[in-house]
Amino acid sequence: MKFPIALQLYSVRDDMEKDFYGTLEKVKELGYDGVEFAGLFGEAPEKIKAKLAELEMEPISAHVPYYDMLENPESVLKDYKEIGCKYVVVPYLTEECRPGTDGFKDTVKGIRKIGEVAKNLGLQLLYHNHDFEFIKIDGEYALDILYSEIPSEYLQTEIDTCWVNVGGENPAKYIEKYTGKSPVVHLKDFVGGKDGGALYKLIGIDEEETAEKTEKSFEFRPVGYGVQDFKAILESAEKAGASWVVVEQDDPSMGKTPIECAEMSINFLKEINA
């Protein structure tokens, strides 16, 4: 087991906005093999491609807002194709199109449409889950319904191991459930749980302010510094046929900067990913 490791650049988004190419250099210095984009910050795809080639880093994938892809999929996706990404990802669903709403059926249709365009461009569409897909519709998780209704040639998984855990399932076992359909796995650590505060406020989604933090408060952590069993997760990712693992930390913690958190994560993974 020796996975190449990428960093989801959302983890260092403020650094990327201030110094796009300097931050890519720092990520390379930390030892990451690739990156997953979360916006291009106005930079030209050809320039990004050239910089990554210079750094010998792979542009694995990109998180692209659902509505952006739905509105004009070819125009939006071609930039990531030009950079050299293999995958594009639906990163998040806003409330009106989530499972449990009247909009979810249209969401499934929309994701399939995007997946078909992606395939025609030589890209594979993935879906990045949170915990809200772990509500049951007629006895089945909404996330499983999504994957069952869209053929795997148009949609595969990017299982976020933190949110699977928060959703009440074992991340390692859930990865294996999608063996052959899990090319990229998100490694994310945390402490606390659903009763520990406003989970989505930490990822920029407005929620009510909660009371002061307690030992049950939800907090993202560098990989290896929370509750997750990453040895089991990596073993399952290998069994499922994953090609890449991606570190993501939505919000820094432990008094560290985003770059310091990214360094802590990869140093931990270097010890167990051997």
Side-chain angles (χ1 to χ4, degrees), residues 27-234:
V27 171
K28 173 64 177 180
E29 288 169 7
L30 295 181
Y32 285 93
D33 304 295
V35 293
E36 180 174 65
F37 292 98
L40 302 181
F41 299 90
E43 298 294 335
E46 62 271 17
K47 188 176 178 183
I48 296 171
K49 181 177 182 179
K51 184 63 176 180
L52 291 174
E54 174 193 322
L55 294 174
E56 297 184 342
M57 277 205 301
E58 293 285 334
I60 301 309
S61 53
H63 280 196
V64 188
Y66 168 65
Y67 283 125
D68 289 358
M69 291 192 286
L70 185 63
E71 183 177 354
N72 198 340
E74 286 196 25
S75 176
V76 171
L77 298 182
K78 69 179 183 180
D79 284 347
Y80 297 100
K81 174 68 174 178
E82 185 173 355
I83 290 169
C85 294
K86 297 176 183 177
Y87 307 101
V88 288
V89 188
V90 177
Y92 183 80
L93 296 177
T94 48
E95 288 188 21
E96 75 281 356
C97 56
R98 288 181 192 170
T101 71
D102 293 339
F104 184 57
K105 287 186 179 180
D106 286 337
T107 299
V108 174
K109 293 176 184 176
I111 291 174
R112 175 167 180 148
K113 173 188 171 183
I114 297 165
E116 290 172 351
V117 173
K119 181 176 174 61
N120 288 337
L121 290 172
L123 297 165
Q124 174 66 60
L125 184 66
L126 309 179
Y127 184 85
H128 170 265
N129 64 276
H130 288 76
D131 66 305
F132 52 72
E133 296 90 348
F134 288 91
I135 66 166
K136 290 192 173 181
I137 300 172
D138 297 328
E140 188 176 6
Y141 284 134
L143 188 59
D144 295 329
I145 292 172
L146 180 67
Y147 293 129
S148 66
E149 292 197 3
I150 302 175
S152 60
E153 63 181 312
Y154 301 133
L155 185 70
Q156 295 187 19
T157 74
E158 182 177 68
I159 291 172
D160 185 296
T161 53
C162 162
W163 294 119
V164 171
N165 194 329
V166 173
E169 289 292 332
N170 181 305
K173 290 181 180 178
Y174 207 80
I175 291 166
E176 288 188 45
K177 181 176 183 177
Y178 285 98
T179 295
K181 301 178 183 180
S182 298
V184 181
V185 173
H186 259 209
L187 306 182
K188 186 186 297 181
D189 216 344
F190 70 101
V191 294
K194 278 192 171 186
D195 59 348
L199 277 62
Y200 296 121
K201 191 170 186 64
L202 294 175
I203 56 173
I205 306 301
D206 288 336
E207 290 185 346
E208 280 187 30
E209 289 286 355
T210 55
E212 63 181 79
K213 284 192 172 186
T214 70
E215 60 184 28
K216 288 187 176 181
S217 294
F218 184 89
E219 182 177 78
F220 296 111
R221 288 286 182 87
V223 171
Y225 291 81
V227 302
Q228 299 272 58
D229 183 352
F230 283 106
K231 187 169 183 181
I233 286 169
L234 289 174

Side-chain angles (χ1 to χ4, degrees), residues 240-258:
S243 300
W244 281 85
V245 292
V246 177
V247 168
E248 182 180 43
Q249 186 173 343
D250 303 60
D251 205 44
S253 60
M254 302 176 68
K256 304 295 183 180
T257 67

